[in-house]
């Protein structure tokens, strides 16, 4: 028995619940008299909704298939071998459920070595090997193909990536070593570092070919047939595969340096994966693949035993699993059908909501507002966005015409809402205004209609309190921009009934949003945590710490943008309004900054100005600097960071005690999907646990051992 087989047998025993991928070998005669060919198909026996992965037993199955093909190659009974996947899926990499179970460094090392030892055999065969990327390929799925001599790709592939850095790993089965040697360091850095750190951006088939990862590209309908014809031509010498020369001089070093700049801008040195990947790419310049594989094994083992990867997997599971099965949602059989939607308001937020409901539900959507000009502007916005989708080829002319025909605007709510099943308001964030709107809507809407509010911080129960049927009011809080951020906070008012709530969750699912159930507590989840976070930074500035120090203090978290840049995006006036709302609810913890008030009263858009001569980097606006009145307490970055993290840990602890959400996992899911907080933090609670903040502030960790951490 070979050491690889032993390694994989040991790993398989640690992971009894693996969804096993088989590797079937079948033989066929290639056209043009090219000879007999062995084709290995990766298939886990499920349809495309359960993608093929590589756990230890799956790797052992591929290893056994290669044993067979190797013997045939030596015997001269085949001229080449190929690798493809089941319909729509090539393979999506290592099985992360198995990675979560690993407790020791040598177990983690075995996973890296096991993958390398199997995949390497494809390039060592006595005959050429071909990878046919017929469907989605990620991580180890991409890497197994990189070990082959040639590759083809389907035009229909929707997703192709090396997402490991996004999760807190490195491409550890050949990606870091082979890819730069195949397509050059600059392109490899773009795929491995830049795409991963841009929210795991995926490549389409055409891009895979243009980057030089694949040698040929074919239509999806007869992809395998065309790939085999091409294979025959390559083997007979009719088709010659020519690849661009890889630059190994200064261009390689410049690409790695660019990768470090990208990593710094995204994670600020806070997560190690990108830097480990770049070290391996840098060392791969001399083309010594085995040294690269050894470095990948070490990096993989170190990262598997580190907190960032466990947080990354935890975050990934939250989004993929918990996000699809919301905690506390009523039985979906209680949900009522929604065949028409009403939107009160026709401003930017309301218009974005109208567009989303229209595109996802494809039912009539009617907007109302206080004058015809606003109504026309709202409908006009939706029409213009549909035209953009048509222009980009995302929808055809028929669909565009149909969608435009479904959206309308009226001034009279009775005319617009008499037959609507779901009516959402997106008007000014003022309780009396929203109560008035709901009273008007209730008077004309059918008895079964759900009345939803897009409030970001006001009490849903109070909003519903003056209605005859408060049980049908539900909070439906979207995040801006609506088309981009997946989170939808669904708020249960004190009197909201199960049928209304179930309908709201049903609509959220059709809108393809990540819905989280929250109690009707001030500012719900994301805005409450962000306001406490931003409020503490504002307090630190008000007390005397320079703005730049306060901002830099939280850089190690690797957040998508700095607090004051976020404030600019939200709008200082909205930030001030939410802080005032929370100050009324919790005056002992939430302050209203006099400096923020001064900035709003001066009509400033934010704290910064952006000048072309400074590369549009944020600089403190001199007019804002003149407004600031600061004390004389100056903190260091470390002191400021500790204060901010302590405040956040305290607030989350209190929210969990109040039952704002079911568990800490829901807090993290909200921050990841509603505020773009990074996967390597796991949202926030795993980071607070790892850094000792949770215990310092609350006397206990948020999560049980082994959840977002290495099992004991």
């Amino acid at each position: 028995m070979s050491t690889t087989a032993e390694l994989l047998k040991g790993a398989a025993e640690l992971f009894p619940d693996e969804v096993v991928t088989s590797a079937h070998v079948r033989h066929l005669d290639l056209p043009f008299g090219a000879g007999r060919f062995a084709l290995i198909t990766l298939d886990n026996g499920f349809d495309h909704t359960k993608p093929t992965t590589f756990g230890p037993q799956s790797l052992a199955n591929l290893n056994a298939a290669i044993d067979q093909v190797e013997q045939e190659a030596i015997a001269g009974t085949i001229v080449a071998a190929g690798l493809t996947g089941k319909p729509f899926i090539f393979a999506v990499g290592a099985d992360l459920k198995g990675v979560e179970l690993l407790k020791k460094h040598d177990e983690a090392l075995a996973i890296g070595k096991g993958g390398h030892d199997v995949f390497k055999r494809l390039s060592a065969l006595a005959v050429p090997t071909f990878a046919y990327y017929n469907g989605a390929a990620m991580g180890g799925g991409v890497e197994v193909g990189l070990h082959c001599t040639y590759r083809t790709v389907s035009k229909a592939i929707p997703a192709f990536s090396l997402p490991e850095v996004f999760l807190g790993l490195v491409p550890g089965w050949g990606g870091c070593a082979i890819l730069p040697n195949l397509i050059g360091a600059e392109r490899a850095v773009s795929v491995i570092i830049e795409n991963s750190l841009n929210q795991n951006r995926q490549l389409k088939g055409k891009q895979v070919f243009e980057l030089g990862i694949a040698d040929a590209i074919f239509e999806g309908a007869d992809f395998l047939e065309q790939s085999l014809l091409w294979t025959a031509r390559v083997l007979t010498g009719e088709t010659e595969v020519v690849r661009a020369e890889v630059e190994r001089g200064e261009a390689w070093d410049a690409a790695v340096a660019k990768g470090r700049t990208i990593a710094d801008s995204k994670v600020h040195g806070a997560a190690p994966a990108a830097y480990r990947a770049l070290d391996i790419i840098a060392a791969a310049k001399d083309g010594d693949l085995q040294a690269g594989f050894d470095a990948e094994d070490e990096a993989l083992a170190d990262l598997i035993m580190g907190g960032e990867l466990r947080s990354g997997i935890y975050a990934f599971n939250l989004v993929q699993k918990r996000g699809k099965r919301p905690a506390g949602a009523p039985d979906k059989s209680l949900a009522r059908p929604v065949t028409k939607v009403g939107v009160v308001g026709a401003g930017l937020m309301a218009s974005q909501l109208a567009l989303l409901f229209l595109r996802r539900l494809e039912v009539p959507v009617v907007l109302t507002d206080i004058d015809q000009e606003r109504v026309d502007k709202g409908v006009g916005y939706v029409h213009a966005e549909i035209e953009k989708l048509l222009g980009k080829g995302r929808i055809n002319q028929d669909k565009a015409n149909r969608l435009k025909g479904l959206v309308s605007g009226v001034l009279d709510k009775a005319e617009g809402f008499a037959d609507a099943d779901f009516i959402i308001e997106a008007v000014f964030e003022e309780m009396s205004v929203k109560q008035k709107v709901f009273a008007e809507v209730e008077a004309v809407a059918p008895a079964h209609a759900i009345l939803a509010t897009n409030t970001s911080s006001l009490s849903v129960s109070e909003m519903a309190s003056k209605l005859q049927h408060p049980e049908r009011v539900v909070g439906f809080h979207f995040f801006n921009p609506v088309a981009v951020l997946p989170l939808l906070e669904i708020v249960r008012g004190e009197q909201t009934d199960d049928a209304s709530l179930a309908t709201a969750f049903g609509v959220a699912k059709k809108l393809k949003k990540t819905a989280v159930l929250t109690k009707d507590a001030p500012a719900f989840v994301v805005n409450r945590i962000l306001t406490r976070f931003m409020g503490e930074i504002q307090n630190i500035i008000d007390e005397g710490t320079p703005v730049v120090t306060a901002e830099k203090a939280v850089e190690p978290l690797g957040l998508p943008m700095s607090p004051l840049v976020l404030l600019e995006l939200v709008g200082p006036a909205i930030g001030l309004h939410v802080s005032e709302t929370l100050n009324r609810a919790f005056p002992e913890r939430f302050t209203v900054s006099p400096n923020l008030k001064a900035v709003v009263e001066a009509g400033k858009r934010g704290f910064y100005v952006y000048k072309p001569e400074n590369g549009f980097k944020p600089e403190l606006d001199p007019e804002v600097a003149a407004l600031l009145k600061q004390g004389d307490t100056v903190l260091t970055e470390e002191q400021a960071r500790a204060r901010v993290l302590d405040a956040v840990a305290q607030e989350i602890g209190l929210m969990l005690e109040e039952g704002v959400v079911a568990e800490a996992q829901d807090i993290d899911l909200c921050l990841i999907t509603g505020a773009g907080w990074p996967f390597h933090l796991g949202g926030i609670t795993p980071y607070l646990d790892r850094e000792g903040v949770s215990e310092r502030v609350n006397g206990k960790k948020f999560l049980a051992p082994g959840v977002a951490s290495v099992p004991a």
Side-chain angles (χ1 to χ4, degrees):
M1 191 188 264
S2 72
T3 54
T4 302
E6 284 168 359
L7 265 180
L8 294 171
K9 187 168 183 288
E13 283 164 8
L14 292 170
F15 184 20
D17 300 326
E18 175 185 350
V19 176
V20 177
T21 297
S22 57
H24 308 284
V25 182
R26 64 188 173 108
H27 296 86
L28 39 106
D29 291 315
L30 290 170
F32 317 127
R36 195 155 175 73
F37 184 80
L39 181 66
I40 302 171
T41 303
L42 302 168
D43 191 348
N44 62 4
F46 292 91
D47 70 10
H48 66 279
T49 58
K50 197 166 215 148
T52 306
T53 52
F54 293 119
Q57 185 56 53
S58 307
L59 286 173
N61 289 347
L62 178 57
N63 200 43
I66 296 171
D67 280 342
Q68 180 188 335
V69 171
E70 185 178 58
Q71 292 306 314
E72 293 168 353
I74 291 167
T77 58
I78 57 169
V79 292
L83 191 64
T84 193
K86 66 183 183 181
F88 309 109
I89 304 286
F90 182 75
V92 298
D95 192 321
L96 292 175
K97 293 194 296 297
V99 173
E100 280 177 278
L101 301 172
L102 301 173
K103 299 178 185 178
K104 300 193 193 93
H105 194 274
D106 59 349
E107 292 171 356
L109 200 60
I111 288 292
K113 273 191 65 54
H116 274 132
D117 289 351
V118 175
F119 290 2
K120 263 184 344 197
R121 298 181 66 200
L122 289 164
S123 57
L125 289 177
V127 293
T129 47
F130 294 77
Y132 306 132
Y133 291 122
N134 64 302
M138 294 174 204
V142 168
E143 289 172 299
V144 69
L146 294 178
H147 285 268
C148 294
T149 324
Y150 305 101
R151 284 156 295 283
T152 66
V153 68
S154 164
K155 267 187 195 169
I157 285 191
F160 183 105
S161 65
L162 289 170
E164 288 84 352
V165 167
F166 176 66
L167 293 170
L169 277 175
V170 298
W173 284 341
C176 290
I178 300 173
L179 194 64
N181 280 292
L182 176 69
I183 63 173
E186 187 176 356
R187 288 175 165 189
V189 164
S190 171
V191 174
I192 294 168
I193 307 297
E194 192 168 12
N195 287 355
S196 279
L197 293 179
N198 275 321
Q199 294 299 318
N200 192 19
R201 187 193 292 151
Q202 300 294 318
L203 299 168
K204 301 265 196 287
K206 185 164 176 271
Q207 294 165 298
V208 174
F209 174 65
E210 286 167 354
L211 283 166
I213 299 171
D215 301 302
I217 182 167
F218 302 110
E219 293 292 345
D222 57 351
F223 170 71
L224 187 58
E225 192 184 336
Q226 292 300 324
S227 291
L228 291 168
L229 285 169
W230 181 83
T231 298
R233 291 193 183 101
V234 170
L235 292 171
T236 58
E238 186 188 329
T239 293
E240 187 188 354
V241 175
V242 181
R243 294 180 186 142
E245 188 82 21
V246 170
E247 290 185 51
R248 297 187 184 277
E250 287 174 16
W252 194 290
D253 302 334
V256 172
K258 182 186 170 193
R260 292 192 196 284
T261 304
I262 292 165
D264 286 344
S265 73
K266 293 288 183 182
V267 299
H268 307 281
Y275 302 96
R276 290 296 291 267
L278 286 162
D279 289 345
I280 301 168
I281 294 169
K285 185 177 173 182
D286 62 3
D288 183 346
L289 292 184
Q290 189 52 53
F293 297 163
D294 293 342
E296 286 176 348
D297 287 342
E298 283 300 328
L300 207 55
D302 290 348
L303 292 165
I304 284 172
M305 300 315 291
E308 282 83 5
L309 170 70
R310 303 299 169 138
S311 295
I313 294 175
Y314 163 81
F316 184 77
N317 287 337
L318 286 182
V319 172
Q320 294 299 320
K321 294 177 185 162
R322 195 179 184 94
K324 293 182 170 61
R325 288 190 285 280
D331 191 314
K332 57 177 183 277
S333 66
L334 298 171
R336 293 192 284 260
V338 172
T339 59
K340 183 178 180 181
V341 173
V343 181
V344 186
L348 183 59
M349 190 69 178
S351 304
Q352 287 184 67
L353 294 181
L355 179 69
L356 179 70
F357 279 94
L358 183 67
R359 285 197 65 202
R360 296 279 182 244
L361 302 188
E362 295 191 22
V363 299
V365 175
V366 60
L367 296 108
T368 69
D369 212 316
I370 53 175
D371 60 53
Q372 193 63 45
E373 191 183 337
R374 289 178 204 222
V375 169
D376 292 345
K377 194 176 172 189
V379 174
Y381 168 87
V382 177
H383 281 196
E385 291 300 311
I386 292 167
E387 282 296 328
K388 281 186 200 167
L389 292 168
L390 177 64
K392 289 177 185 165
R394 302 266 294 279
I395 55 174
N396 62 24
Q397 188 67 58
D398 281 352
K399 180 95 175 256
N401 293 346
R402 193 165 79 250
L403 290 177
K404 281 187 188 173
L406 286 171
V407 65
S408 61
V410 294
L411 283 176
D412 181 5
K413 291 187 181 70
E415 181 191 338
F417 297 159
D419 55 350
D421 308 300
F422 192 98
I423 300 159
I424 184 165
E425 68 74 27
V427 298
F428 186 64
E429 194 74 346
E430 178 68 57
M431 183 58 77
S432 58
V433 176
K434 290 185 185 281
Q435 284 180 331
K436 179 172 178 286
V437 161
F438 268 166
E440 290 169 0
V441 170
E442 188 178 46
V444 298
H448 69 271
I450 305 299
L451 307 185
T453 168
N454 183 45
T455 182
S456 59
S457 60
L458 299 176
S459 166
V460 174
S461 305
E462 191 184 335
M463 215 177 287
S465 62
K466 296 182 178 173
L467 297 177
Q468 288 177 317
H469 293 285
E471 70 278 359
R472 56 176 169 160
V473 176
V474 64
F476 218 60
H477 179 217
F478 290 88
F479 289 78
N480 213 350
V482 170
V484 177
L485 290 173
L487 180 64
L488 180 53
E489 290 177 341
I490 296 188
V491 186
R492 179 170 211 153
E494 284 164 21
Q495 297 196 277
T496 308
D497 63 21
D498 281 355
S500 302
L501 203 59
T503 306
F505 274 101
V507 169
K509 189 168 186 179
K510 285 188 176 155
L511 294 176
K512 298 188 179 170
K513 291 293 178 188
T514 300
V516 174
L517 178 63
T518 153
K519 186 178 159 185
D520 186 19
F524 319 125
V525 180
V526 173
N527 284 343
R528 180 160 163 187
I529 293 168
L530 286 186
T531 305
R532 185 77 199 274
F533 172 78
M534 308 266 280
E536 203 54 44
I537 287 167
Q538 195 72 58
N539 290 343
I540 289 164
I541 292 168
D542 293 355
E543 289 163 20
T545 299
V547 170
V548 66
T549 308
E551 284 262 85
K552 280 182 80 70
V554 293
E555 266 188 6
L557 295 177
L559 299 177
M561 61 188 77
S562 79
L564 293 182
V565 173
L566 175 64
L567 180 69
E568 204 167 290
L569 186 74
V570 170
I574 292 173
L576 179 66
H577 174 74
V578 178
S579 71
E580 287 170 341
T581 303
L582 282 159
N583 171 253
R584 285 194 294 276
F586 310 114
E588 68 289 355
R589 298 193 313 280
F590 287 85
T591 50
V592 178
S593 162
N595 281 322
L596 178 57
K597 214 168 193 171
V599 167
V600 172
E601 283 166 2
K604 303 302 290 183
R605 281 186 50 244
F607 277 63
Y608 293 130
V609 286
Y610 301 85
K611 297 177 184 162
E613 61 268 25
N614 190 27
F616 295 102
K617 288 198 179 88
E619 278 179 68
L620 188 61
D621 183 341
E623 290 178 23
V624 170
L627 292 172
L628 296 183
K629 291 185 170 59
Q630 292 180 280
D632 50 16
T633 304
V634 180
L635 302 184
T636 64
E637 284 179 31
E638 288 72 23
Q639 290 168 324
R641 182 161 57 252
R643 249 187 65 181
V644 172
L645 292 175
D646 284 5
V648 170
Q650 182 195 30
E651 203 57 41
I652 293 171
L654 291 165
M655 287 166 73
L656 292 171
E657 275 176 31
E658 290 168 31
V660 175
V661 288
E663 291 181 289
Q665 280 88 332
D666 292 313
I667 300 267
D668 293 319
L669 182 57
C670 284
L671 285 172
I672 292 161
T673 56
W677 281 35
F679 268 43
H680 69 260
L681 295 185
I684 187 65
T685 68
Y687 178 81
L688 295 172
D689 284 355
R690 205 162 65 228
E691 296 293 313
V693 182
S694 314
E695 287 180 276
R696 183 170 74 232
V697 175
N698 301 323
K700 60 180 182 185
K701 290 186 171 177
F702 287 114
L703 301 169
V707 178
S709 57
V710 177

